[in-house]
């Protein structure tokens, strides 16, 4: 789910939090990093559990409607049960591994905040996407899958109230939302009628090396802070560290740390990654500023033989 770029962003956030709090405790920041990465998966699970709650609410509403003496034809569809029979939603409901993970993590947010489920459910009912789906005679898995994807992209994910809820719950989720939302859409698009039991429980990180990379990047950047600052000095006219934006300074130090202390990562990969992060998280001119300094440093390191890169990625 998380790529190396996402991991770099997590490390950047940790260092930024350290600067703002003036707390130089490395163990504390390592713990913060671990929790921040783990919380990304919690956000993913909460989105899936929201779909499960929406399905349950739809079933409850149909049950209530069936007990009424009168049925309003204006709201009738060819099959009033169609949404509750949605095959993708049923896969989520029937996933035992998903249920167990939600229970283990005690993610009962929607049970405790039912008003958000009601809010989203009502928005779904009012949407053209839902009405077209309910009026359609197409009962295929692909049709069921497509309507959930469209509802998520157009109705659920853009909802301001849900966004505010996630923002208030955990600050790091603001940066995680685009990552997780994109992943969910891709996951749903690849979903098939017959899935493995753990399909909706993907790995958060590709392998142990990713977590090792996160910890090493954090610790080396912090422990070598003074040396990294000296690397920047003189590489920009009238350099004054107090005039460089905090995020730019952090990204520069992280990038230099990778160039000098991560031999298996090609320098071009490092530079490109931090330029992209700068475009998203810093000022409009930051990527140009950072690129200029890293370009000078890379040439200098190569000339002095300090850029010792090795590994399959360099062949």
């Amino acid at each position: 789910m998380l790529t190396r770029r996402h991991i770099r962003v997590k490390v950047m956030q940790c260092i930024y939090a350290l600067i703002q709090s003036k707390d130089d405790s490395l163990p504390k920041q390592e713990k913060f990093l671990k929790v921040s990465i783990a919380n990304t998966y919690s956000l993913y699970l909460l989105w899936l559990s929201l779909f499960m709650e929406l399905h349950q609410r739809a079933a409850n509403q149909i049950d209530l409607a069936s007990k009424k003496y009168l049925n309003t034809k204006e709201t009738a569809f060819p099959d009033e049960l169609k949404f509750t029979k949605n095959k993708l939603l049923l896969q989520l409901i029937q996933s035992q591994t998903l249920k167990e993970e939600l229970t283990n993590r005690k993610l009962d947010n929607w049970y405790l905040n039912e008003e958000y489920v009601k809010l989203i459910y009502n928005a779904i009912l009012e949407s053209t996407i839902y009405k077209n789906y309910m009026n359609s005679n197409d009962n295929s898995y692909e049709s069921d899958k497509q309507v959930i994807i469209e509802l998520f992209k157009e109705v659920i994910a853009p909802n301001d109230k849900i966004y505010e809820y996630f923002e208030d719950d955990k600050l790091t989720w603001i940066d995680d939302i685009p990552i997780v939302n994109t992943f969910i859409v891709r996951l749903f698009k690849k979903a098939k009628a017959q899935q493995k039991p753990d399909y909706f429980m993907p790995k958060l990180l590709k392998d142990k090396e990713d977590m090792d990379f996160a910890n090493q990047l954090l610790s080396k950047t912090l422990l070598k802070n003074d040396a990294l600052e000296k690397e920047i000095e003189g590489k920009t006219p009238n350099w004054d560290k107090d005039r460089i934006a905090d995020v730019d300074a952090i990204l520069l130090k992280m990038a230099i740390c990778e160039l000098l202390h991560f031999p298996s990562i090609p320098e071009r990969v490092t530079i490109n990654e931090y330029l992209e992060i700068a475009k998203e998280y810093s000022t409009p001119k930051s990527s140009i500023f950072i690129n200029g300094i890293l370009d000078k440093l890379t040439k200098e390191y190569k000339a002095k033989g300090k850029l010792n890169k090795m590994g399959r990625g360099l062949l």
Side-chain angles (χ1 to χ4, degrees):
M1 181 186 295
L2 290 180
T3 66
R4 284 290 178 97
R5 182 178 299 173
H6 302 146
I7 291 171
R8 288 178 174 96
V9 170
K10 292 286 185 184
V11 173
M12 176 196 73
Q13 291 170 339
C14 284
I15 298 175
Y16 185 82
L18 181 149
I19 292 173
Q20 296 302 310
S21 65
K22 295 180 173 57
D23 184 345
D24 60 356
S25 170
L26 179 57
K28 185 175 181 179
Q29 294 309 315
E30 288 175 334
K31 182 179 179 181
F32 179 87
L33 176 62
K34 183 178 179 180
V35 171
S36 177
I37 290 175
N39 280 339
T40 304
Y41 206 77
S42 294
L43 176 62
Y44 164 77
L45 292 171
L46 280 178
W47 272 130
L48 295 195
S49 68
L50 178 58
F51 283 109
M52 298 164 75
E53 292 294 331
L54 290 169
H55 180 274
Q56 184 61 53
R57 183 166 185 83
N60 292 343
Q61 293 301 108
I62 289 172
D63 184 55
L64 288 173
S66 67
K67 295 175 182 178
K68 292 183 179 179
Y69 292 105
L70 296 174
N71 236 337
T72 55
K73 292 184 179 179
E74 290 82 358
T75 59
F77 295 108
D79 181 3
E80 293 288 350
L81 299 174
K82 186 173 182 178
F83 189 74
T84 61
K85 294 189 290 186
N86 183 283
K87 299 175 185 64
L88 180 58
L89 290 182
L90 289 175
Q91 284 180 323
L92 292 174
I93 296 293
Q94 295 164 3
S95 173
Q96 192 59 35
T97 54
L98 177 56
K99 289 180 182 178
E100 290 173 359
E101 192 65 23
L102 289 169
T103 300
N104 291 339
R105 291 177 180 245
K106 298 179 180 180
L107 294 175
D108 52 0
N109 298 51
W110 307 124
Y111 175 77
L112 299 173
N113 298 277
E114 191 177 357
E115 67 272 18
Y116 290 100
V117 179
K118 181 178 180 181
L119 181 99
I120 293 297
Y121 181 70
N122 289 338
I124 288 174
L125 295 184
E126 295 171 3
S127 70
T128 302
I129 297 170
Y130 174 81
K131 293 172 183 176
N132 289 341
Y133 169 73
M134 293 297 290
N135 282 314
S136 171
N137 292 320
D138 187 349
N139 295 312
S140 66
Y141 180 82
E142 287 301 316
S143 174
D144 283 358
K145 182 172 72 171
Q146 189 59 36
V147 73
I148 298 303
I149 293 171
E150 290 180 10
L151 285 172
F152 182 63
K153 291 170 63 176
E154 304 298 332
V155 179
I156 302 173
N159 188 279
D160 290 338
K161 294 297 182 182
I162 288 290
Y163 184 89
E164 290 171 7
Y165 170 74
F166 285 139
E167 183 179 26
D168 291 340
D169 198 323
K170 288 182 175 60
L171 186 61
T172 57
W173 276 352
I174 299 306
D175 293 309
D176 292 341
I177 287 174
I179 297 167
V180 174
N181 289 2
T182 300
F183 180 82
I184 288 174
V185 171
R186 289 175 180 171
L187 189 77
F188 284 176
K189 284 182 178 180
K190 293 179 181 179
K192 298 178 182 178
Q194 301 298 324
Q195 289 290 359
K196 294 181 180 180
D198 60 350
Y199 178 74
F200 295 106
M201 295 298 298
K203 290 182 178 180
L204 174 59
L205 299 173
K206 185 175 64 175
D207 49 39
K208 182 180 177 295
E209 289 182 4
D210 279 350
M211 195 65 223
D212 290 341
F213 168 73
N215 287 325
Q216 289 179 32
L217 182 59
L218 175 65
S219 61
K220 288 182 179 181
T221 303
L222 291 177
L223 293 174
K224 298 179 182 297
N225 179 70
D226 292 343
L228 294 172
E229 280 194 357
K230 290 180 180 178
E231 293 291 334
I232 303 171
E233 291 179 7
K235 299 303 182 295
T236 177
N238 302 318
W239 184 80
D240 181 352
K241 66 179 181 180
D242 294 330
R243 294 180 61 189
I244 297 180
D246 285 343
V247 172
D248 290 357
I250 293 168
L251 293 178
L252 274 170
K253 291 173 186 177
M254 289 172 63
I256 296 168
C257 185
E258 273 193 36
L259 289 172
L260 295 176
H261 305 292
F262 289 78
S264 65
I265 303 176
E267 64 265 20
R268 183 41 54 189
V269 170
T270 292
I271 293 172
N272 288 342
E273 287 288 273
Y274 286 101
L275 293 183
E276 290 302 315
I277 294 172
K279 289 176 184 177
E280 186 171 354
Y281 290 92
S282 198
T283 65
K285 295 182 179 180
S286 290
S287 61
I288 299 173
F289 170 70
I290 290 173
N291 184 55
I293 295 177
L294 293 181
D295 184 59
K296 289 180 183 178
L297 285 172
T298 302
K299 291 176 180 176
E300 179 183 303
Y301 295 156
K302 285 182 177 180
K304 294 181 178 180
K306 294 175 65 175
L307 206 62
N308 299 314
K309 297 291 183 177
M310 62 188 71
R312 288 181 299 174
L314 304 164
L315 297 178

